Structure formats: C-alpha cells, structure tokens
Amino acid sequence: MSYKVLLLDSVDERCEEVFAERGVEVVRNQNLSGQALYDEIKSYDGIVVRSSTDVTSEVLKAAENLKVVGRAGVGVDNIDIDAATARGVLVMNTPDGNTISTAEHTCGMILALARNIPQSVQKVKSGGWDRKKYMGIEVHNKTLGIVGLGKIGSEVAKRMKEFGMTIKAYDPFASVEKAESLGIELLELDELLGQTDFLTVHTPLTEKTKNMISMANADKLKKGIRLINCARGGIYREEDLDSLIEEGYVSGIALDVYSSEPPTDELYELLNHPQVITTPHLGASTEEAQEKVAEQIAHQMVDALEQKSFKGSLNGKSISLIANKEVQPYLRLAEKLGNVAIQLAPENADEFSFEYSGTCTKFADILTDSILKGILKQQISESVNLINARHFAEERGLNIRETTASQTKTFNDLITIKLGEGSAYKQISATVFGDNDYRIVEIDGFGIELRLEGDIIMYQNVDKPGMLASVSSALADQDINIANLSLGRTKKGENAITAVSVDKHLSEEELKPILNLEGIRSLQYVSLPFNGIK
C-alpha cells in the first residue's frame, strides 16, 4: 500500500530522503494556511510540522484521510491532541532528538556568562578594548545548581562536572540513587538557591515553576549568582531581571527562551541590560539536532503507517481504547489519583504501590500508565502520556509495584496508591461514583469521601470538640469559603483526618493559621483541575 505525506514546515531535507527511501510519496509545501491548507490536506495519510503550523480541530476535520501527525521536535502545543485522538489520528514527536544540542547550548551559555564573551566580542567589534572591564571568573570549583534532572539537566551535569564544577540539584521527583549515580547532591529549592554560583533550569513552565526566581525570593539567592534559562520563558520573572542585577542579587543572566517569542518591545528594553546575554531560542538549533529529528520522525511515521511500531506516539493507547468507553472513567480517576499522590508524597519519593480491585483490574496495565502520567506530567519538560509514562518513571528511578485484589472491597471498583516511607499519609483510595464524579473514599483506613477536584486541605488532628469550628473560623477570618468537607476518625478522643474543599487556591500564608492551631498534627494541601464544573 502506498502512502502520501505532506511536509508543512521547514524540516531538514533528511526527512524527505527517508520517506522516499521507504517508498512514501512526499510533498513539501511550507506556505499553506486557511482554506488553501484545508483543500490541500484532504488526500494525505500523514503530515509533518514543526512549530509554525497549528494543527487545529478544523485542520484535522479537513484532513479526511489523515492517519498520523508528526512533530519534528518535542513541543506539541500547536497540535490539538484531544481532537486528533477523537478522530483516530496518531500524534508523534521526537523527544530525544534535541537533548544533546540543548545541553550543549546551556553549557555554552554558562561559559559565556562566566567570561563575558558576548559583551567583549561586541566591544572589540565596535573598536573598543577594555580587558579589565570584561574580566570574568572560572567555573572550576564553582557550584552549579540544576533545577530538573531529566534528560537535558542530566546531560548538562555530566558536561559541567568535567569542567570541575560541583553539581547540586533540586528535583522533587528524581530518586536519590539516580542523583548519586551522577555525583549530584539533591537539595531543597531554597537550600539550592543559597549555595549555588550558577543556576540552570530544565523544567516545564507550570504554576509551580512560573516566576521561580523573582524579587520576591531574591533574599534566598547566594549573592552574585548567575542565572541561565534554556528551558521555558517565564521561569525567571522577566520584569524583575534588571532589579535583580541592579540591587546586587544577581551578577548576570543568560536567556535562550522568553515568555513571548520574539520578545515584546517592553521585554527588549529589559534584555538590553549589559549583564544580560541572550540568544533567539537556539537550544535545538543545530544541524545535527534538526537532521536527527527529521530522520527520526520520518522513520516513526512510516513504521506507524505500516503498523510495525508506534514509538514516539503521544496518544497510541488512547486511540486503541477510544472505542472502549468502559475504561475511560477509570483512566481519568487514575490520573487524578496520581496527581493527588505526588502532592502528598515527600520530595524525592521513589517508591509507589498501586492496587486495583473490582472491574478495573482488567485494565490494570493502562491504569498504571495513567497514574504515572498524573504523577509526572507537571514535573518534567517532556510531554507525558500513556505511551511514555513508564519510560520517564524508570528514567527518574521510580520503583513501581502493581497488585490486583481478587475480591471486591467496600466499593465495586477501587484504586489504591500506597505512598511509601516518609509520607504523612500511607495510602489513599478512590473510586468512580458517576459521570465526572471521582472521589477519595479512604485515607489510611479512615473513611473519607471527597470529590477529586479543586483545592483541598487535608489535616490530621486530635479528635476533640471545637476542632472543625477552629479551622472554619481560621478560614472565615480570611474570607475563604468551605465548599465541602469530610471527616474520619478511629474512635472518640483519638486521631482524626479531615478533608476540606475550599473555593479558591490558597497560598502558604493562608494555610499557616490552620497549621498553627492547637491540636493540628499535620497539614497537606492538594490542588486539582475541576471536572468541567466549578
């Protein structure tokens, strides 16, 4: 059977060569949009894009024969994966193709920052000569802090270690064993900021990582720290860059990524600071990386079209199960419970046990993938999905144990996650009550019933009169409304667990009055997406 593939964006010529070598008809047209794109795309089995073309639901609807979309690179923000899945279209990317290029670019930025290379180049080219002004520092015997020990962060660590740097890192989801194997000391974030001469970030941009460094926490930085960002714009608060430098907290900043690209005029003014060096998102822009991802995506797409392999697929299992509506609620439950588990687990937790009972036991394999997706998706740079979740879990040193119960328990279908040593809670169970109704039903043997959505305060306390009233009062004093609550206890006067849903996202400052109440033994805070209803 012959196939046709359309190359929509600027992809290395190696992509065309591989398709041709494997008997696929390939057409390159980089200037299509709107109706012209809708008309052209109808007859193709596959399309290849980078970041210029948006593969929207409308594009997918027009592509009547489409079977696979290939992204020659990592980011898939320009592809509507849900719409593709609903239409049975496979979406693939090449997450490994630019690892080395981005790691090398990061190392180059570290050295350029240490030795003032861009500024001194410009000085000489403009006819100047000021050796004293551009005196730099050695990286040898300095400490490099890395936030995020995924593939790129790990490769940066290996390279800069050879320069004689001491490597320390913050990654709440990397195992101690993995860090030690790389010769890296794991620290809490605030500890890392206070001990680091150079800081580089390799994480996605999330609510937790946005503005990770700003004037708000400048006093936690080691004096004169140098900052590097080749990951995602916005991890360092761009509006504060000048102030961080001018007030002496930071000696220099190197940026390859920005919150808007190209930067806005307002941001350009900030980037013009003489101690800020910039590149136009060149992390993956090497001949080798572009050739590698072009070759990889072509092979992956042909393998998929020929039903030989689905390596690099972001939605393969979803497509295979899309017709099976029975599994869908359990997949959503599993992902939500994984999200809860990682928020309750201690940092650097490396061991989890998953138990399934009832009807859902027959889906145990893919439910584990979905739990791992919930655990990992907000914490690593790569796109996490049902296909690659186990790969990323293994890469980060997570030890996973899966069991199924032969007999049903209180509920016909139950998923339980055991959190391992060091957690305030040992295990949490949840089930499906109905459409978009997923609930926690047990925590550490206590009967707790609360929907898995929104913002939830969970605390352990002495079971005595007035505890709930005290918590309610502490919230009311801050104009925080309780949406729902559930309380479980062993027996009167002993230990109790309470879960309270509130109507807003809470800060650490807003949680302190509860934690400081007499009788509160521990407090955990969980934030989850709503199930479409708020």
Side-chain angles (χ1 to χ4, degrees):
M1 183 176 179
S2 60
Y3 298 102
K4 289 178 63 178
V5 171
L6 176 64
L7 308 188
L8 285 171
D9 291 342
S10 177
V11 184
D12 188 88
E13 292 178 359
R14 183 59 185 147
C15 192
E16 290 175 86
E17 294 172 0
V18 171
F19 279 125
E21 290 167 4
R22 298 193 59 175
V24 173
E25 180 183 348
V26 59
V27 175
R28 182 188 288 269
N29 195 331
Q30 298 170 209
N31 300 308
L32 291 175
S33 61
Q35 191 59 48
L37 174 58
Y38 300 157
D39 293 339
E40 175 67 20
I41 204 171
K42 290 181 180 179
S43 62
Y44 290 92
D45 299 283
I47 58 174
V48 179
V49 299
R50 288 184 66 196
S51 56
S52 297
T53 300
D54 289 331
V55 184
T56 63
S57 59
E58 290 78 14
V59 171
L60 292 162
K61 185 177 180 181
E64 299 170 357
N65 198 47
L66 195 63
K67 300 174 182 66
V68 57
V69 176
R71 165 67 162 99
V74 179
V76 288
D77 294 345
N78 57 319
I79 302 172
D80 190 333
I81 296 179
D82 290 338
T85 301
R87 297 189 68 83
V89 175
L90 200 66
V91 179
M92 315 185 92
N93 71 347
T94 55
D96 300 331
N98 63 4
T99 298
I100 299 302
S101 291
T102 305
E104 287 185 352
H105 191 73
T106 301
C107 296
M109 295 287 261
I110 292 170
L111 295 172
L113 200 56
R115 300 303 298 270
N116 299 310
I117 292 173
Q119 300 95 321
S120 57
V121 166
Q122 186 60 41
K123 185 70 172 179
V124 174
K125 285 192 172 186
S126 64
W129 188 269
D130 193 339
R131 295 176 63 191
K132 185 175 182 180
K133 179 178 180 180
Y134 297 112
M135 183 178 292
I137 63 168
E138 293 181 354
V139 298
H140 183 74
N141 282 337
K142 301 300 189 301
T143 297
L144 173 64
I146 301 177
V147 177
L149 278 181
K151 293 177 182 177
I152 296 172
S154 297
E155 292 296 334
V156 170
K158 293 175 187 176
R159 284 156 178 75
M160 297 316 297
K161 192 174 180 64
E162 294 301 313
F163 276 83
M165 298 193 83
T166 298
I167 314 295
K168 301 184 180 184
Y170 167 72
D171 187 329
F173 305 98
S175 67
V176 174
E177 289 76 13
K178 179 190 174 179
E180 289 178 346
S181 73
L182 294 169
I184 298 172
E185 180 184 0
L186 284 176
L187 299 174
E188 297 289 333
L189 180 59
D190 286 351
E191 288 182 286
L192 184 71
L193 299 181
Q195 297 181 27
T196 296
D197 300 298
F198 293 79
L199 182 74
T200 180
V201 290
H202 300 283
T203 71
L205 181 66
T206 68
E207 286 299 318
K208 290 186 177 180
T209 62
K210 185 177 181 180
N211 298 332
M212 179 182 289
I213 304 296
S214 69
M215 285 301 296
N217 66 342
D219 59 338
K220 295 179 180 178
L221 301 173
K222 182 176 180 180
K223 196 78 169 178
I225 191 173
R226 289 166 169 85
L227 306 176
I228 302 93
N229 185 3
C230 297
R232 296 289 187 273
I235 295 177
Y236 303 147
R237 191 171 192 271
E238 292 164 338
E239 297 86 346
D240 290 356
L241 297 182
D242 283 12
S243 297
L244 286 167
I245 295 172
E246 291 300 321
E247 297 190 25
Y249 294 107
V250 173
S251 292
I253 301 171
L255 301 175
D256 185 49
V257 290
Y258 314 90
S259 55
S260 61
E261 296 183 358
T264 61
D265 291 342
E266 182 180 0
L267 181 54
Y268 268 124
E269 292 182 18
L270 298 171
L271 298 179
N272 276 327
H273 194 288
Q275 287 165 258
V276 175
I277 65 175
T278 62
T279 51
H281 204 152
L282 297 179
S285 294
T286 62
E287 293 177 5
E288 293 84 354
Q290 292 310 306
E291 181 177 332
K292 191 182 298 182
V293 297
E295 181 172 352
Q296 284 181 358
I297 200 62
H299 279 303
Q300 288 174 200
M301 289 176 67
V302 179
D303 286 344
L305 288 168
E306 294 178 350
Q307 303 287 301
K308 291 180 179 178
S309 167
F310 298 95
K311 179 183 178 182
S313 169
L314 300 178
N315 61 343
K317 286 187 182 178
S318 298
I319 289 174
S320 67
L321 288 165
I322 197 70
N324 186 350
K325 294 184 178 179
E326 185 181 4
V327 73
Q328 300 304 318
Y330 301 122
L331 286 174
R332 289 189 284 272
L333 173 68
E335 184 175 336
K336 284 177 172 290
L337 196 58
N339 194 338
V340 171
I342 200 59
Q343 292 184 62
L344 294 179
E347 290 193 351
N348 308 119
D350 61 1
E351 188 171 341
F352 296 90
S353 296
F354 309 146
E355 182 182 280
Y356 309 98
S357 64
T359 306
C360 66
T361 56
K362 60 185 177 182
F363 305 122
D365 184 54
I366 194 170
L367 292 182
T368 291
D369 296 330
S370 195
I371 292 174
L372 291 173
K373 179 184 175 186
I375 288 174
L376 295 168
K377 70 177 184 177
Q378 298 297 322
Q379 313 304 330
I380 64 176
S381 301
E382 298 85 356
S383 300
V384 185
N385 56 74
L386 297 176
I387 298 293
N388 61 22
R390 289 189 194 241
H391 166 75
F392 287 129
E394 290 170 4
E395 181 183 77
R396 301 179 88 78
L398 296 185
N399 299 309
I400 304 302
R401 184 168 178 263
E402 305 163 78
T403 59
T404 57
S406 56
Q407 296 181 337
T408 57
K409 300 185 178 181
T410 306
F411 296 89
N412 289 333
D413 301 290
L414 202 64
I415 300 178
T416 298
I417 299 181
K418 297 180 181 179
L419 301 175
E421 295 297 323
S423 175
Y425 301 98
K426 302 305 178 187
Q427 67 179 47
I428 182 168
S429 301
T431 191
V432 179
F433 271 65
D435 291 343
N436 286 322
D437 190 353
Y438 312 99
R439 302 190 194 184
I440 298 168
V441 292
E442 186 178 292
I443 302 173
D444 288 356
F446 292 81
I448 295 284
E449 186 177 311
L450 204 70
R451 291 181 68 137
L452 278 164
E453 62 178 17
D455 297 280
I456 303 170
I457 305 166
M458 297 170 57
Y459 61 88
Q460 300 181 44
N461 62 275
V462 177
D463 181 38
K464 64 178 183 178
M467 285 303 305
L468 185 56
S470 296
V471 172
S472 300
S473 178
L475 291 170
D477 289 345
Q478 301 177 84
D479 198 28
I480 299 167
N481 191 46
I482 293 176
N484 207 339
L485 65 88
S486 181
L487 185 149
R489 63 180 185 175
T490 48
K491 61 182 182 179
K492 184 177 179 180
E494 295 189 356
N495 196 39
I497 293 179
T498 306
V500 179
S501 291
V502 293
D503 282 348
K504 60 169 285 189
H505 188 81
L506 303 185
S507 66
E508 290 186 11
E509 288 300 315
E510 289 170 317
L511 291 170
K512 280 183 181 178
I514 300 173
L515 189 57
N516 292 334
L517 290 173
E518 184 180 351
I520 299 292
R521 290 174 172 160
S522 71
L523 183 146
Q524 303 284 330
Y525 179 65
V526 173
S527 186
L528 298 168
F530 278 87
N531 301 321
I533 302 172
K534 188 167 182 178

